[in-house]
Amino acid sequence: MRTLVAFLRKHHFFALFLLLEAIAFSMLVNSYSYQRTVSFNAANDLTGGVLNAFANITDYFTLRKQNEELQDENTFLHNQLQYYSLKINTRQTYGDSLFRYIPARVIRNTMHAANNFMVLDKGRLQGIEKEMGVISSKGIAGIVIGVSAHYSLVMSLLNDNAKISARIKKNNQLVNVVWNEIDPGYGQVVDIPAHIQLNAGDTIVTSGNSFIFPAGLVVGTVLSYHPSKNQGLNTARLTYATDFNGLHHVYLIQNLRKQEELKLLEGADHE
Amino acid sequence: MSNLYVKNSIRFVLLILFQVLVLDQVHFGGYVIPYVYILFILLLPFDIPKSLLLFLAFGTGLTIDFFGNTLGLHTAALVMLAFSRPGVLRLYFKKTEFLSGEEPGIRKLGFMGFVKYSFSLILIHHLALFYLEFFSLRYFFTTFEHALINSLASLTGVMILVMLFTKPNKRKR
C-alpha cells in the first residue's frame, strides 16, 4: 500500500492522465451503443438555448432558399390536394388521420462526423417523444432519440445506428437502408433479395413496418447497384432525398395509434 | 494574479463560443473544421500545475462534447494534448527561461517556435480525435489524411487568432 501511495505521489501526473482518459473513454464507448445514444439526453436546455439564440440570427442568411423550398412543397401539396379531391367522392368512409405532423426548426446539424445528430427547437412540452420520425420537405431525415423540455435530439440518417426499413417503390420488395459510409448524402440499400434487379434512379420509400415513419415516404434514389458475388443478398448505393446540408425546416411525425398497435403486439407476444 | 484568471476565463468563453457557433457550422471542403478551442490549453501559463492543466483540458473537452453530442470524444483528445504539453515544451524550449505566469505565446516563443509548438500538439490532438471518432481502422489511410489536412487548417486558424490578438510591436521574429 505504501509503495502504491509513493508511486502515485511520484507519478501523479501520469496517474491522473490515465484516470481522466479512462473516464473519457468510458463515456465514449457508452455513447457508441444505440441504447446509450437513446438514453443519453444531450439535448439539454442549456446548450439548446445557446444554439437556438444563434440560429435565430443565422436563419436570416438563408431565407431565400428556405422560402423556395417551402414554395416547392406547397406546390407539391396543392397538386396532391387536387388529386385527392377528385378521388374523394368515390370513397364511402373516411378514417381518422393516423399521423400528425409537427413543424420544427433545425438549430444544429452535423454531417461530417462518424455519427451525426440534429437538435430541433421543439421538445416534450410541444408533444415530442422519443422514436418519432423526422422528415424534411424532400424525404425522411432522422429519428428522435432524446427530448428535453424545449429541445429534441435527433439521430440523423447519417448515423451508424440508423437502419431504416424500406421498400423498393416499383415492386414493393422489402429492403433496409443504412448509412455505412463516410460520405454525407449517400447511403446503402442492403438486404436486397437476389432475384431483384435494381436500376439507377429507382426510388426507395419507407415500408411503414415501423411505428416511426408512415409508409411511402421517400428515402432516396438508387445511384448504383452492386450484385453480391456469392449469391447472397445484394446491395446498392443510394442518394438520400433529403439535402442534409441545407436542412432548416423539418416535420416531426406523431403516430396517433402507436399505443394501440403496441398493445396489440404485446398481446400477441403473450399468446 | 487575478488578472490571469480573468484573462483566461474570458479566453475560454470566447473560444468555445467561436468554436461551436461559427467554426463547427462551416465545413471547408466538405469535412474540414478548424479546431481552435485548443488554443485555450496551448496558451495556459508555463508554470500552471500539471494536474490543473489536465483538469482544465478535461472540462474544456467536455464542454465542446456537450455541444456536439460527441460525449467523451473531444475530452479524450484534449486530455491527451494536455498530457503531451509539458513534454513538447521541454523538447523544443529547454534553454528558454520563463517567468512566473508567462504564457507560451508567439511573443515568447517567436513565430516559428510557436508554429512548432502548436503544430506538434495539434497533430497529437487530431490523430487521437479522428481515430477515436471512427473507432476502427476501417478507414485507416483516409482517417490519417483527414487528420493531417484538418491539423493544417486548425494550425492556420490558431495562427490567425494569435496574430490578431498579439500586439505587433511585441512580437518577436
Side-chain angles (χ1 to χ4, degrees), chain A residues 13, chain B residues 50 83-95 98:
Chain A
F13 181 51
Chain B
K50 284 164 147 193
F83 177 70
S84 321
R85 196 186 102 138
V88 170
L89 277 174
R90 224 174 310 131
L91 180 74
Y92 291 138
F93 308 104
K94 209 185 273 175
K95 288 177 189 143
F98 300 114

Side-chain angles (χ1 to χ4, degrees), chain A residues 48-67 105-109 119 245-249, chain B residues 17-26:
Chain A
V50 175
L51 295 171
N52 193 25
F54 195 68
N56 279 340
I57 302 165
T58 52
D59 261 6
Y60 286 106
F61 299 123
T62 51
L63 272 186
R64 181 185 292 265
K65 188 162 175 268
Q66 291 179 43
N67 276 335
R105 200 169 54 135
V106 179
I107 56 174
R108 187 185 177 90
N109 182 19
V119 180
N245 203 12
L247 210 53
H248 288 282
H249 294 283
Chain B
L17 288 180
F18 185 53
Q19 184 68 49
V20 299
L21 295 180
V22 183
L23 290 179
D24 278 6
Q25 316 288 338
V26 191

